[in-house]
Amino acid sequence: RGSSCIRIECIFFSEFHPTLGPKITYQVPEEYISRELFDTVQVYIITKPELQNKLITVTAMGKKLIGCPVCIEHKKYSRNALLFNLGLVCDARTKTCALEPIVKKLSGYLTTLELESGFISNEESKQKLLPIMSTLLEELNATGACTLPIDESNTINLKLIEQRRDPLIVQEYDVPVFTQCKDHFIKSQWDLTTQQILAYIDGFRHIQKISAEADVELNLVRIAVQNLLYYGVVTLVSIFQYSNVYCTTPTVQSLIDDRSIQEECLNYVTKKGQKRACLRDVFQLYCGLTPGTTVRDLCSRYSQQLQRVDERRLIQYGLMKALIRRLQKYPVKVTRDERSRPPRLYTGCHSYDEICCKTGMSYKELDERLENDPNIIVCWK
Amino acid sequence: MATKQWETTLGERKSMYKQSENSFFKRGEKTSPISVILVTSGSRGNKLLFRYPFQRVADCTSSLTTKQRSPYALNTTGDVLEDPDGDSREQTPLTDQQLVAGFSDIILATILATKSDMCGKKFELKIDNVRFVGHPTLLQHPHTIQVSKTDPSPKREMPTMILFSVVFALRANADPSVISCMHNLSRRIAIALQHEERRCQYLTREAKLMLAVQDEVTNMTETDGSPQSPFRQILPKCKLARDLKEAYDSLCTTGVVRLHINNWLEVSFCLPHKIHRVGGNHVPPEALERSLKAIRPYHALLLLDSEKALLAQLPLDCSPALVRLIKTCSAVKNLQQLAQDADLNLLQIFQIAAHLVYWGKAIIVYPLCENNVYMLSPHANISLYSPLAEAFGQQFPGHDLPSMLAKFSLPLSLSEFRNPLDASVQEAQLIQMVVWMLQRRLLIQLHTYVCLLVPPSEEEPGLLRDEELPLVARVGGRSLSTPSALSFGSPTSSDDMTLTSPSMDNSSAELLPGGDSPLNRRMTETLLASLTEHERQVILNIPAAQSPEDLRMFARLLHYFRGHHHLEEIMYNENMRRSQLKTLFDKFRSVLVVTNHEDPVISLFQSPLE
């Protein structure tokens, strides 16, 4: 992986000089931080005790400075304390969250070095900082990672890690499907649980089923899949059944507008061994999905278009790309005897998928049960 | 009478939000501030004048003895566990209160009262999990101060306050657009305060009061030993403190702030993130603005409050155009009609409508009519126990919401929904129900979209040759857009004032109606010229194409068949009846694919509030 889009413009080492006060001792490239800029922000770099060891990011004069002020107290230092801060400078518009762990780690390294061997307080060894900072700047910008031995016992290991959004909670009735070809992934890179369930992720098995067949505890499967979701390796769709109902979303037009989606779709949905399906057929199929129409209905109405198309993969692709959405059934118990208990599952909050998963009933069983109950109405959404 | 009403509403509002407030504080609501802080810098040095929420009393005692570490202060190594990666992401479940309570007044004064060269610009500082944002403002020009310094006259007094800043503390992971909005509010308050300071030294006076109370409380505590929060004592004495508290409270709840600085200058502000939400997430303001720019004259404005309630919320000096619009608008009237009825030009209507939508007072819909088809929104809360169900039962006794919503499980047109055999009173109520459900984003409207897709030729049917690329990829379509000067607060240009009538925008108006003249045939040929040979052949072989009139109509509407223009839009632009269009689609169905879905332009407005 190459470096992310963060560009570090400068690395600086600042300290509190016993007579000159706060100053920048080293910076690469030289003269990057102006006298003016440092004057404005020095209160955030060499700080009062209350702010020490905190990650501080300040924006000023079009630049963002990220640092972590360190204070080591000891009688041997003039003024009984050593204050310093190794920080990074970026353009003010950069998103710098990913740099924070690096700054924190660097402050930790330097603190350790000072405590172990007086690396910073010793004028001679302090000079080694400059080439270290140069290398850091170069390598972090180039590859997003840096490994630097400092002395016999200390090595700096740094890596820029992209921060992603928190993933959704994975439910037992969700179906994970790979976003890319399964073979692209090196199994051994993943943890044991994930390795065990990988084979069962086929875009049709739901979490509960995977748990049962792979013989892995349900919550472990949920967490493993959530992890895969976090890295964008899988996405979630709903359980497939021929009785399912879907409808198109405005995004279905992207099949017409976007050449790459067309290509990808036609390749994905064509039956194995057949000539590639044509756009018109596939688009007609998606548009044939309407409220009230089951997949079974679609198959009988559009049998000609389905000659070269695998309907299960058609639905799968449509859901993955949000070209279509599933209409779920929600039972609601609208009237009941005063003596009977209030509904627990038939409240409009739980779909058929969820109820069947939780109770072990099949759709058909649930349908039969509810159809005979005059107090229950069903909403689709 | 009026005050009583106000108090009741306020009381209701507060109790309604109290529960959510508690949960907000616990889970760290990303769109709410954690604290509001007022700092100044001047001849007395840097001072923290006011902060809200107050620290708990126990915290106060520790902050007075600054040498001791407050047990509630963020421990340097404590809050970030011994994590070698030094990940600054939230490790411990600290509540928002604890996050900022850990900063003493003195340190906040030091870091938030910036140097004067940071004034007049956005101030942003992030410390571990807290982000501070403000707009430090100079009260005196730097050169004025310099002049005073060099002036040897002993009588001249130094100005006591040089700069000030209203700072909001947020969670570090707040969305950039939220941070930007908070900065905006800080700036607006600063402008008002700067103005009042120049006019009557308002800020200096309030500052004096605040510092006096702080000194008083410090003295009292030292003599009594009983800890008090000085800021709690400041509230009843200082209007500015009350204003800041109100701003904070409003931001945390409704997202709508209205202050009267010094009972004189109004500062109003809304946080769109609180008002516009989809599912559990806020709608980014940019998405909102994009949608607003795509509104068409055939859309309608649906108010979310009653006319009376809305008018009551307007300030006394609001624009008469706004009042007229509110009084004239209706869910069955499109914006063009509204312009005529309210005697305003279309651009004004668009701007006011956008304003009302931005503030969460109205949404954009397609005007209500018989043929509108509605369906249950995927985001609708259909729970038996939802507050919506209760409200519906109160508004429409004898009916329950889930049963009504179940009717819209399948797409239903308004005419189908109403039973023509019922008395007209019932009918009116059914329409009211639909309006009620639309206001609460329970329903979405479906429109018909058409796409031209010709069956592929016999040779090499599997490949997608360039020729097979549908029309849209080859022909750059014209988009009939609304006046472009629809931005918030920008001056209108005279170019944008005239909206050409839709038919003039379209070359089809030049076609003569009826008659198979050579001119018409030539026109049709030109329009079909953008198709491939194969497409043209297929179309011309359709039986309906033998009728020159049908073919001409088809050719004229060709550019709509890309799946981006719904039936109603075509009807509006081309001044055609629904039946005409439907018949045409039917005749040419072998090359057209039809589908129904919501209008993406206004679907943003059909998304629910939290």
Side-chain angles (χ1 to χ4, degrees):
Chain A
R1 291 269 178 100
S3 66
S4 62
C5 28
I6 298 183
R7 206 195 117 67
I8 307 171
E9 314 241 319
C10 166
I11 303 187
F12 64 91
F13 178 78
S14 171
E15 45 179 354
F16 188 91
H17 190 273
T19 46
L20 298 170
K23 66 191 267 279
I24 297 183
T25 312
Y26 301 122
Q27 53 172 312
V28 276
E30 274 178 26
E31 316 259 337
Y32 187 84
I33 301 173
S34 66
R35 180 87 238 158
E36 214 183 0
L37 177 59
F38 188 67
D39 272 345
T40 308
V41 300
Q42 62 162 276
V43 67
Y44 308 108
I45 303 211
I46 302 293
T47 66
K48 294 230 169 12
E50 209 175 320
L51 294 180
Q52 278 150 10
N53 267 301
K54 294 197 198 300
L55 269 165
I56 302 181
T57 307
V58 60
T59 310
M61 293 170 64
K63 306 267 175 252
K64 235 184 203 181
L65 292 93
I66 313 129
C68 181
V70 176
C71 171
I72 304 177
E73 289 175 358
H74 199 279
K75 285 196 297 256
K76 66 177 182 180
Y77 302 119
S78 49
R79 298 187 180 238
N80 295 323
L82 180 70
L83 291 138
F84 64 87
N85 191 340
L86 184 70
L88 310 177
V89 186
C90 298
D91 182 81
R93 289 161 297 184
T94 319
K95 279 199 191 303
T96 51
C97 290
L99 290 175
E100 288 172 10
I102 292 192
V103 171
K104 202 75 204 257
K105 237 178 169 180
L106 282 170
S107 91
Y109 280 132
L110 290 184
T111 309
T112 308
L113 284 171
E114 173 61 23
L115 291 172
E116 279 182 8
S117 56
F119 183 77
I120 297 178
S121 46
N122 179 323
E123 281 303 319
E124 214 180 283
S125 55
K126 185 161 89 172
Q127 285 177 30
K128 289 191 200 158
L129 267 180
L130 202 45
I132 290 174
M133 285 159 63
S134 278
T135 314
L136 273 175
L137 182 63
E138 208 179 291
E139 295 200 9
L140 285 175
N141 275 336
T143 61
C146 182
T147 302
L148 264 186
I150 309 283
D151 53 26
E152 296 102 35
S153 40
N154 291 296
T155 308
I156 294 180
N157 288 304
L158 296 169
K159 188 163 182 191
L160 265 170
I161 297 182
E162 191 188 322
Q163 297 199 326
R164 297 162 188 265
R165 300 170 142 258
D166 289 335
L168 301 164
I169 296 178
V170 174
Q171 305 284 4
E172 15 174 37
Y173 46 85
D174 283 325
V175 175
V177 56
F178 280 105
T179 52
Q180 292 166 30
C181 177
K182 218 191 236 197
D183 306 324
H184 282 168
F185 301 105
I186 304 168
K187 258 185 107 170
S188 54
Q189 274 185 350
W190 298 95
D191 61 273
L192 289 174
T193 309
T194 306
Q195 285 185 36
Q196 209 169 334
I197 63 168
L198 272 179
Y200 297 90
I201 299 180
D202 60 353
F204 297 108
R205 286 191 178 91
H206 56 288
I207 298 293
Q208 199 184 55
K209 198 167 190 189
I210 295 175
S211 163
E213 290 185 19
D215 195 22
V216 176
E217 203 259 316
L218 184 69
N219 278 319
L220 286 180
V221 177
R222 287 174 67 178
I223 294 169
V225 171
Q226 193 177 34
N227 193 38
L228 291 173
L229 202 59
Y230 180 78
Y231 287 105
V233 173
V234 302
T235 184
L236 297 177
V237 296
S238 66
I239 296 173
F240 176 85
Q241 289 175 116
Y242 280 94
S243 57
N244 281 359
V245 174
Y246 302 90
C247 68
T248 52
T249 69
T251 320
V252 74
Q253 303 300 341
S254 63
L255 202 50
I256 304 296
D257 299 338
D258 188 331
R259 184 70 188 267
S260 60
I261 294 190
Q262 261 175 41
E263 291 273 331
E264 193 184 47
C265 178
L266 296 180
N267 286 330
Y268 196 90
V269 308
T270 304
K271 273 185 186 152
K272 295 269 185 307
Q274 297 261 13
K275 265 189 216 168
R276 205 165 87 158
C278 80
L279 179 64
R280 185 166 186 270
D281 286 350
V282 172
F283 192 69
Q284 275 188 316
L285 284 167
Y286 280 125
C287 293
L289 290 166
T290 60
T293 307
T294 63
V295 179
R296 198 174 289 117
D297 294 337
L298 186 81
C299 291
S300 59
R301 278 180 217 163
Y302 291 85
S303 51
Q304 188 261 312
Q305 286 85 342
L306 280 168
Q307 275 173 9
R308 284 184 277 163
V309 173
D310 177 339
E311 65 267 16
R312 292 183 4 140
R313 285 177 71 87
L314 177 82
I315 299 290
Q316 209 177 57
Y317 188 83
L319 288 173
M320 280 165 68
K321 297 292 174 180
L323 307 178
I324 56 175
R325 63 184 173 90
R326 168 97 185 273
L327 288 172
Q328 298 261 17
K329 277 167 96 162
Y330 292 82
V332 189
K333 188 158 195 170
V334 288
T335 50
R336 61 180 174 95
D337 294 332
E338 276 172 19
R339 283 171 299 160
S340 69
R341 277 173 302 152
R344 197 176 48 89
L345 285 175
Y346 305 149
T347 57
C349 299
H350 308 281
S351 65
Y352 260 47
D353 274 11
E354 191 183 335
I355 296 173
C356 291
C357 228
K358 285 205 157 86
T359 61
M361 275 190 275
S362 76
Y363 265 60
K364 212 163 157 206
E365 285 169 342
L366 184 58
D367 252 345
E368 280 164 17
R369 196 185 270 223
L370 296 181
E371 248 157 58
N372 294 329
D373 191 334
N375 299 323
I376 293 188
I377 52 128
V378 172
C379 287
W380 292 75
K381 66 165 185 170
Chain B
M1 206 51 179
T3 21
K4 214 174 172 182
Q5 221 177 12
W6 168 248
E7 273 163 34
T8 329
T9 337
L10 197 63
E12 276 165 17
R13 206 153 54 104
K14 282 195 169 162
S15 63
M16 203 167 89
Y17 288 117
K18 204 176 164 66
Q19 208 186 10
S20 44
E21 253 180 59
N22 289 337
S23 59
F24 279 168
F25 289 149
K26 277 176 198 152
R27 67 165 196 264
E29 171 60 46
K30 281 191 199 175
T31 57
S32 297
I34 317 173
S35 180
V36 62
I37 303 157
L38 176 64
V39 294
T40 62
S41 176
S43 53
R44 281 181 72 178
N46 295 342
K47 292 274 177 214
L48 181 139
L49 293 180
F50 184 71
R51 66 193 287 185
Y52 184 78
F54 316 126
Q55 292 166 293
R56 286 169 298 170
V57 166
D59 297 338
C60 279
T61 40
S62 345
S63 72
L64 284 172
T65 55
T66 47
K67 291 209 180 120
Q68 259 178 36
R69 262 247 178 273
S70 159
Y72 297 100
L74 289 173
N75 207 330
T76 51
T77 49
D79 63 308
V80 179
L81 310 170
E82 287 306 309
D83 182 349
D85 293 325
D87 197 339
S88 76
R89 284 220 277 206
E90 192 71 19
Q91 299 280 7
T92 53
L94 284 175
T95 64
D96 289 343
Q97 304 304 296
Q98 288 170 319
L99 277 180
V100 178
F103 290 97
S104 69
D105 298 352
I106 298 185
I107 197 70
L108 282 179
T110 313
I111 57 176
L112 299 180
T114 63
K115 295 227 161 51
S116 51
D117 45 10
M118 278 178 105
C119 287
K121 287 174 269 198
K122 179 176 177 189
F123 168 77
E124 209 178 317
L125 176 70
K126 181 173 164 190
I127 301 185
D128 276 351
N129 295 315
V130 184
R131 197 183 288 269
F132 299 96
V133 64
H135 193 88
T137 306
L138 265 181
L139 283 175
Q140 314 287 338
H141 273 297
H143 71 262
T144 319
I145 301 166
Q146 281 170 6
V147 166
S148 321
K149 275 188 181 157
T150 55
D151 189 327
S153 153
K155 287 246 171 82
R156 185 177 288 281
E157 281 173 21
M158 281 286 283
T160 46
M161 203 186 294
I162 299 172
L163 63 87
F164 71 93
S165 188
V166 174
V167 180
F168 289 101
L170 303 160
R171 278 195 164 244
N173 58 4
D175 192 274
S177 56
V178 174
I179 299 168
S180 186
C181 283
M182 296 291 179
H183 166 244
N184 198 356
L185 178 57
S186 169
R187 191 176 56 89
R188 289 199 199 185
I189 297 176
I191 292 173
L193 284 174
Q194 192 183 43
H195 182 274
E196 286 303 283
E197 173 65 14
R198 289 201 179 125
R199 189 173 71 87
C200 56
Q201 290 81 49
Y202 175 64
L203 188 54
T204 309
R205 282 186 284 133
E206 291 288 286
K208 271 204 180 116
L209 274 170
M210 289 176 183
L211 288 171
V213 174
Q214 283 187 34
D215 288 339
E216 205 180 296
V217 171
T218 317
N219 289 335
M220 264 174 60
T221 319
E222 279 171 4
T223 49
D224 290 8
S226 56
Q228 312 228 12
S229 164
F231 308 114
R232 199 182 292 278
Q233 309 298 324
I234 288 177
L235 264 187
K237 297 189 179 157
C238 291
K239 172 76 168 41
L240 181 55
R242 291 197 295 279
D243 283 338
L244 292 175
K245 174 181 184 295
E246 192 187 316
Y248 172 83
D249 286 339
S250 303
L251 284 171
C252 290
T253 53
T254 60
V256 178
V257 177
R258 265 179 82 178
L259 307 172
H260 291 91
I261 301 290
N262 198 15
N263 285 317
W264 182 240
L265 283 184
E266 181 174 328
V267 175
S268 48
F269 174 83
C270 88
L271 191 60
H273 308 78
K274 278 264 153 41
I275 296 174
H276 306 276
R277 301 187 78 99
V278 178
N281 303 311
H282 68 259
V283 173
E286 315 87 57
L288 193 62
E289 291 188 22
R290 263 201 312 271
S291 281
L292 287 173
K293 287 187 171 142
I295 303 175
R296 306 295 326 280
Y298 60 71
H299 283 130
L301 194 65
L302 176 62
L303 296 178
L304 294 178
D305 261 330
S306 73
E307 181 189 304
K308 230 168 105 178
L310 205 46
L311 289 171
Q313 287 172 31
L314 298 177
L316 287 169
D317 59 347
C318 77
S319 112
L322 177 57
V323 177
R324 259 201 332 268
L325 183 144
I326 292 176
K327 285 188 168 159
T328 335
C329 93
S330 131
V332 300
K333 215 181 278 190
N334 71 27
L335 294 174
Q336 191 161 46
Q337 287 170 318
L338 186 57
Q340 285 165 4
D341 290 353
D343 197 24
L344 297 163
N345 69 54
L346 197 57
L347 184 63
Q348 277 177 295
I349 295 285
F350 273 92
Q351 287 179 330
I352 299 175
H355 183 81
L356 285 169
V357 171
Y358 187 80
W359 281 75
K361 302 296 177 196
I363 53 171
I364 301 294
V365 294
Y366 189 82
L368 258 59
C369 74
E370 295 269 316
N371 292 300
N372 283 3
V373 174
Y374 296 103
M375 192 169 83
L376 204 48
S377 161
H379 305 290
N381 181 349
I382 49 181
S383 162
L384 199 51
Y385 306 122
S386 74
L388 282 176
E390 203 182 307
F392 187 86
Q394 285 173 355
Q395 184 82 7
F396 304 102
H399 295 99
D400 71 284
L401 186 59
S403 301
M404 210 47 66
L405 292 175
K407 297 202 161 109
F408 288 98
S409 288
L410 280 181
L412 197 65
S413 73
L414 261 189
S415 56
E416 286 169 332
F417 180 59
R418 297 177 340 184
N419 188 339
L421 299 174
D422 277 346
S424 58
V425 172
Q426 265 246 17
E427 214 176 85
Q429 202 186 44
L430 288 171
I431 300 295
Q432 274 174 21
M433 282 186 197
V434 171
V435 170
W436 193 95
M437 290 190 277
L438 280 173
Q439 284 171 327
R440 282 138 192 94
R441 334 287 176 104
L442 295 170
L443 299 176
I444 53 173
Q445 183 174 357
L446 298 180
H447 295 272
T448 306
Y449 292 80
V450 170
C451 194
L452 178 76
L453 267 180
V454 159
S457 59
E458 290 303 310
E459 323 98 49
E460 302 171 55
L463 292 178
L464 201 66
R465 293 169 299 168
D466 273 332
E467 285 167 24
E468 260 187 68
L469 270 177
L471 198 56
V472 65
R474 284 175 275 125
V475 178
R478 281 166 292 160
S479 66
L480 305 148
S481 57
T482 33
S484 55
L486 192 68
S487 54
F488 304 95
S490 71
T492 58
S493 86
S494 55
D495 295 337
D496 305 318
M497 296 295 268
T498 51
L499 175 72
T500 56
S501 117
S503 57
M504 280 169 68
D505 215 3
N506 194 334
S507 63
S508 61
E510 289 141 46
L511 285 173
L512 304 163
D516 184 24
S517 67
L519 180 64
N520 284 341
R521 265 184 277 132
R522 181 56 58 91
M523 288 292 182
T524 311
E525 271 167 34
T526 317
L527 288 165
L528 293 177
S530 55
L531 302 169
T532 63
E533 182 56 42
H534 168 67
E535 283 171 337
R536 232 192 328 274
Q537 283 298 323
V538 172
I539 290 172
L540 292 172
N541 283 334
I542 298 172
Q546 304 318 310
S547 146
E549 276 188 33
D550 284 344
L551 184 61
R552 197 182 328 122
M553 198 193 294
F554 182 85
R556 189 177 114 200
L557 301 178
L558 203 54
H559 63 282
Y560 291 113
F561 300 156
R562 298 184 278 137
H564 291 288
H565 302 275
H566 55 65
L567 201 68
E568 285 80 9
E569 177 155 0
I570 305 174
M571 278 166 59
Y572 179 82
N573 289 342
E574 301 296 318
N575 209 11
M576 289 175 71
R577 287 192 304 279
R578 187 180 296 267
S579 52
Q580 277 178 294
L581 273 175
K582 287 206 140 157
T583 315
L584 186 73
F585 292 163
D586 192 48
K587 288 181 180 168
F588 287 89
R589 66 182 174 281
S590 56
V591 295
L592 297 174
V593 183
V594 170
T595 184
N596 296 323
H597 54 71
E598 59 272 33
D599 182 353
V601 163
I602 58 174
S603 68
L604 202 62
F605 306 118
Q606 293 172 329
S607 303
L609 305 165
E610 188 155 20

